[in-house]
Amino acid sequence: MNDVQHILTHCRTVAVVGLSPKTHRDSYEVAEYLQSHGWRIIPVNPLAKVPSILGERVYDSLTQAAAHENIDLVDCFRNSEDIPPIVDEAIALGLGAVWMQLGIEHAEAAAKARQAGLRVVENRCIKIDLAGFQNQVG
């Protein structure tokens, strides 16, 4: 089972780093889709300036979120250059997987995450992959 299949099969609680409260943003649409398909989303965005997004409490960091929630997956809606500290935090917290959305890649951070035992997906949209996966199994 590859990392995409494993994540789509086994993960159900996802910290969405960079989740915007703006409904027209990709991060919001993807999180809403995941939520509508039974996933629990945990918004992580220190700049959101709102207490909740999609009915879930917004956290300032993965560390803060992990203190209150059990996180299966970190879904990244940040620029590629912002990925290394997110991966470092995921590794330090012992989280199991990191997903970098379409257009987001960081080879060194991905390699570091894999070496630490995390499952890693780069440059793919989890909403698209989940829809395709559900059609296959479904």
Side-chain angles (χ1 to χ4, degrees):
M1 181 177 292
N2 69 31
D3 287 348
V4 171
Q5 293 168 325
H6 185 273
I7 290 168
L8 296 179
T9 302
H10 297 290
C11 295
R12 286 295 172 269
T13 303
V14 56
V16 184
V17 178
L19 178 54
S20 174
K22 298 174 182 169
T23 59
H24 67 279
R25 300 294 297 264
D26 290 342
S27 62
Y28 187 96
E29 291 177 19
V30 169
E32 186 176 46
Y33 181 86
L34 292 174
Q35 199 177 50
S36 74
H37 285 80
W39 291 54
R40 171 104 191 278
I41 59 116
I42 309 298
V44 177
N45 187 339
L47 305 176
K49 305 295 184 224
V50 295
S52 66
I53 300 172
L54 290 165
E56 295 286 351
R57 176 182 169 187
V58 177
Y59 294 96
D60 287 338
S61 68
L62 274 178
T63 299
Q64 184 187 50
H68 300 277
E69 311 286 351
N70 291 320
I71 299 168
D72 300 325
L73 172 65
V74 179
D75 187 13
C76 302
F77 282 91
R78 302 287 300 136
N79 293 324
S80 295
E81 61 268 17
D82 298 329
I83 296 300
I86 296 168
V87 165
D88 288 345
E89 201 172 2
I91 291 168
L93 293 167
L95 303 181
V98 174
W99 189 295
M100 298 174 226
Q101 285 293 138
L102 279 175
I104 305 168
E105 296 177 280
H106 198 288
E108 294 86 9
K112 185 176 184 179
R114 286 186 183 101
Q115 188 173 15
L118 280 71
R119 294 190 178 261
V120 178
V121 176
E122 295 180 272
N123 194 26
R124 293 182 71 139
C125 177
I126 194 168
K127 177 182 173 183
I128 293 168
D129 282 332
L130 182 59
F133 182 75
Q134 288 177 324
N135 287 337
Q136 285 179 339
V137 297

